[in-house]
Amino acid sequence: MSRNPRIAILWHGDRESRNHATAKNNKFSKIFEEFQQYNIIAEPAVYNDEFVDEVQLQLSQVDGVLVWVNPIEGGRNRSILDEMLRDVASSGNFVSTHPDVILKMGTKEVLFQTREMEWGGDIHLYKNIQELREQLPVRLADGSSRVLKQNRGNGGNGVWRVEFVDGTGVQRTDPIIRVLHALRNSTEKEMLFSEFINQCEAYFAGTGLMIDQSFQSPLPDGMVRCYMTHNEVVGFGHQYVTALLRPQSGSEPLQPQPRIYHPESKPEFQSLKTKMESEWIPQLQQLLDIETKSLPIIWDADFLYGPKTSSGEDTYVLCEMNVSSVHPFPDSALPKLVKNAVAMITNSQK
């Protein structure tokens, strides 16, 4: 190439943010700095649906783009952004994460598709509101809690812990259920089953669906987030999550605890690292038909602890994968993230 390659770092913002964005005045500044070591020109690309054409023109003039936009931003989904990114990628530019890969592995449906893997379990899929209405009471009949998740969301939006208030719920036409939304500061409520079902109808709009997973308590060991670049583990996060835990009666909603970041060499998580790299990611790629080079530049998988094996080893239950907007992440992930992005840009120019 006769010029230095260029890459755009894209995140969501308004017109003022776009007009004043630099490589230093944002939360991705370390990524900009890392690209300088490779003589790659990294530039900000603040995005909003209101000026999608402007951003697309910018992306047509660079060699690649790394995207950090949540599934839901400011009440809007990514449909306009994703269509634009497909156009950019079709011109030969490197895009991570490609919208088609997000649809394969970055939605809650992946829990159902991989339910037979070691990290899976008691997981069901509702394709429409009628299936939810008919099948959920049967799964609540034993008095257990279920966790319902809309297919695309973030920050706990559309994730509910649900159970019957008493053991006779399945025998009643319209039983009372207890629900807790995973959104921050949500409080537990009791409502009629029909009321909750009507509330969920919006999650089935278009191609929407819901996933039903048995409730797995994060206590006492918390949640482990495994950070990946392509098919390589690059760090871990550990957090005592509280989103679906009940506070004591009369207490304020439980607040999330800070996530503690660790490098990929953290001794406590080496069995998980080995499982991910040698078994689970290859199985995931085969099930979803994703080449290694198409895996996201940065993504993560959240695991709760399952029951220990007879020999005392930890087991893990997958809760979700985050593909659209993984930030922050451990410092150990940054060099490999950028190195892989540089390789993808270089290869796309050959």
Side-chain angles (χ1 to χ4, degrees):
M1 299 177 65
S2 59
R3 59 171 176 80
N4 287 346
R6 295 166 60 194
I7 189 167
I9 309 298
L10 187 150
W11 68 92
H12 188 271
D14 56 20
R15 167 57 66 182
E16 182 178 0
S17 298
R18 178 170 176 82
N19 288 346
H20 295 94
T22 71
K24 297 183 180 297
N25 64 356
N26 61 82
K27 63 183 180 181
F28 305 105
S29 58
K30 289 185 178 180
I31 300 176
F32 284 94
E33 293 174 6
E34 190 73 20
F35 273 111
Q36 292 178 0
Q37 299 184 35
Y38 294 89
N39 294 318
I40 301 285
I41 300 173
E43 59 186 61
V46 177
Y47 172 84
N48 195 291
D49 287 351
E50 302 300 327
F51 40 82
V52 57
D53 292 339
E54 181 180 332
V55 178
Q56 182 165 2
L57 178 60
Q58 178 186 3
L59 299 188
S60 71
Q61 298 170 351
V62 299
D63 303 295
V65 54
L66 300 182
V67 181
W68 276 272
V69 177
N70 284 313
I72 300 174
E73 288 277 9
R76 293 186 177 185
N77 61 34
R78 283 184 43 142
S79 57
I80 295 175
L81 170 63
D82 286 347
E83 195 58 38
M84 183 268 282
L85 292 174
R86 288 188 180 96
D87 287 343
V88 171
S90 68
S91 300
N93 286 16
F94 165 61
V95 174
S96 189
T97 301
H98 192 288
D100 293 346
V101 175
I102 292 176
L103 290 178
K104 285 186 175 184
M105 61 183 294
T107 65
K108 304 302 188 296
E109 187 176 5
V110 75
L111 297 172
F112 180 75
Q113 292 170 314
T114 63
R115 66 194 182 282
E116 301 296 335
M117 289 177 53
E118 188 178 344
W119 67 32
D122 180 14
I123 301 169
H124 304 272
L125 180 148
Y126 303 120
K127 294 176 290 189
N128 53 61
I129 194 70
Q130 187 62 25
E131 290 185 353
L132 178 65
R133 183 182 292 111
E134 294 175 353
Q135 298 175 27
L136 179 58
V138 178
R139 298 191 174 108
L140 295 175
D142 62 0
S144 62
S145 293
R146 308 292 300 183
V147 178
L148 301 179
K149 303 177 180 182
Q150 70 165 323
N151 197 33
R152 297 192 74 176
N154 53 276
N157 188 1
V159 176
W160 298 85
R161 179 179 176 180
V162 183
E163 62 189 46
F164 284 138
V165 169
D166 57 59
T168 63
V170 73
Q171 302 171 14
R172 300 176 58 178
T173 303
D174 195 6
I176 298 174
I177 60 172
R178 184 181 294 113
V179 300
L180 178 60
H181 200 185
L183 276 178
R184 184 176 296 190
N185 295 322
S186 296
T187 56
E188 193 172 57
K189 300 177 181 178
E190 293 185 2
M191 64 175 64
L192 291 173
F193 179 76
S194 60
E195 183 181 352
F196 176 72
I197 293 297
N198 292 339
Q199 190 171 301
C200 289
E201 193 158 4
Y203 301 140
F204 294 93
T207 58
L209 52 84
M210 293 195 78
I211 295 298
D212 176 345
Q213 190 173 23
S214 59
F215 173 72
Q216 187 84 19
S217 177
L219 299 176
D221 299 311
M223 174 181 284
V224 180
R225 176 167 286 184
C226 185
Y227 292 89
M228 316 291 303
T229 175
H230 287 331
N231 61 348
E232 183 179 4
V233 175
V234 291
F236 295 98
H238 185 253
Q239 183 179 27
Y240 290 96
V241 292
T242 59
L244 293 178
L245 293 177
R246 295 193 183 99
Q248 293 183 349
S249 179
S251 300
E252 293 295 318
L254 297 172
Q255 296 301 307
Q257 300 301 301
R259 182 178 292 113
I260 308 301
Y261 296 97
H262 305 282
E264 72 276 13
S265 58
K266 182 72 171 175
E268 293 90 327
F269 302 133
Q270 290 310 292
S271 64
L272 177 57
K273 179 178 185 294
T274 299
K275 286 281 190 182
M276 284 291 282
E277 293 181 338
S278 64
E279 298 180 38
W280 294 346
I281 295 177
Q283 292 173 17
L284 177 73
Q285 290 182 252
Q286 184 174 16
L287 278 171
L288 304 184
D289 189 24
I290 302 177
E291 296 179 305
T292 299
K293 67 179 181 180
S294 297
L295 288 170
I297 285 293
I298 183 69
W299 60 286
D300 67 58
D302 284 342
F303 294 96
L304 290 173
Y305 286 87
K308 289 186 180 295
T309 67
S310 58
S311 58
E313 296 177 350
D314 287 323
T315 64
Y316 298 92
V317 178
L318 179 67
C319 292
E320 69 173 355
M321 292 181 187
N322 300 292
V323 172
S324 303
S325 186
V326 178
H327 195 277
F329 45 75
D331 289 342
S332 58
L334 181 57
K336 293 177 181 177
L337 181 162
V338 171
K339 183 178 180 180
N340 282 339
V342 171
M344 294 299 294
I345 292 173
T346 301
N347 290 336
S348 70
Q349 299 300 318
K350 291 181 179 179

